[in-house]
Amino acid sequence: MKAVSLNGSSQYLTITPVAGLELTNITVCVWFKKTSSSGVYDIFNYMPKGAHGDGRGYALASNASNDRVYWGDNDGSWAAVNGPAPNTSWKFMMFTFNGTVGELLINNSVSGNIADGLGYTDGGGTNPNQKYCLIGTMYNAGFSNYFNGLITGLAIFNKVLDSTERAWIYNSGKVRDYRGAAFWSNCKLYLP
């Protein structure tokens, strides 16, 4: 597979949101390689309308301290699971959510979890004023946190992948085409 290369200053991809991204049971995974271990980068960001101001949506990100996942929870605040310190090597990041517990895996090892509900109702707010499905940036009254590096193998599944399925993706490295997986029918978004 080829990777998307982003320059950290203005490049990002916008995907038209499709049905199935707002899920109770979800797995989001991606391979990424940062150019620098410092800075704040959003790798993937899904924000329903009004998400950032209203505490909804989810994102895979990396800052100067942690690779992490954060999401808007049911009480309108942000929940987060912090993983290891960032570096400039290729990494596999996976976020699973089973309706109650969010779990972060880095290189197929559990980095942490938190029991907190994930909220998805449309807040109808103005920040943002539309749904955003973004690769390499976030939106909060403007685009920011531009990713600097390489991204590939982004996929969203409408189920929590089990340990065998997670291993199938991770052990294949960033070069395997996920469309050959037995669980491919559960894929809602895929960036090879």
Side-chain angles (χ1 to χ4, degrees):
M1 288 191 287
K2 296 182 178 179
V4 174
S5 177
L6 301 172
N7 67 11
S9 64
S10 62
Q11 296 175 328
Y12 62 92
L13 287 88
T14 301
I15 299 171
T16 302
V18 297
L21 300 185
E22 300 173 2
L23 305 166
T24 301
N25 294 288
I26 191 170
T27 298
V28 183
C29 61
V30 66
W31 284 93
F32 71 100
K33 181 178 180 180
K34 292 170 61 172
T35 300
S36 169
S37 59
S38 63
V40 178
Y41 303 118
D42 270 46
I43 301 162
F44 177 77
N45 199 305
Y46 176 72
M47 295 287 170
K49 183 180 175 184
H52 198 278
D54 298 331
R56 299 178 179 91
Y58 58 89
L60 305 181
S62 184
N63 59 30
S65 303
N66 306 98
D67 294 322
R68 64 196 308 244
V69 61
Y70 60 95
W71 69 91
D73 65 15
N74 283 330
D75 65 11
S77 60
W78 288 99
V81 179
N82 291 319
N87 59 44
T88 57
S89 301
W90 275 105
K91 285 188 192 174
F92 178 71
M93 179 185 281
M94 180 178 283
F95 165 54
T96 65
F97 186 78
N98 67 7
T100 305
V101 177
E103 184 173 62
L104 175 67
L105 297 93
I106 303 292
N107 293 333
N108 209 32
S109 295
V110 176
S111 288
N113 58 63
I114 187 170
D116 214 337
L118 182 58
Y120 280 122
T121 56
D122 185 342
T126 58
N127 187 23
N129 60 5
Q130 60 182 327
K131 289 185 180 182
Y132 281 104
C133 187
L134 303 167
I135 298 170
T137 190
M138 72 163 294
Y139 186 90
N140 181 17
F143 294 100
S144 62
N145 296 358
Y146 293 105
F147 185 83
N148 190 349
L150 302 170
I151 298 173
T152 192
L154 172 68
I156 300 177
F157 299 91
N158 66 351
K159 66 177 262 179
V160 175
L161 297 183
D162 64 32
S163 59
T164 301
E165 294 164 334
R166 293 194 303 256
W168 186 93
I169 294 176
Y170 175 69
N171 292 333
S172 301
K174 58 190 177 298
V175 298
R176 177 173 269 187
D177 189 334
Y178 301 166
R179 289 172 285 196
F183 49 92
W184 172 250
S185 63
N186 295 103
C187 189
K188 294 297 178 183
L189 184 146
Y190 180 47
L191 176 74

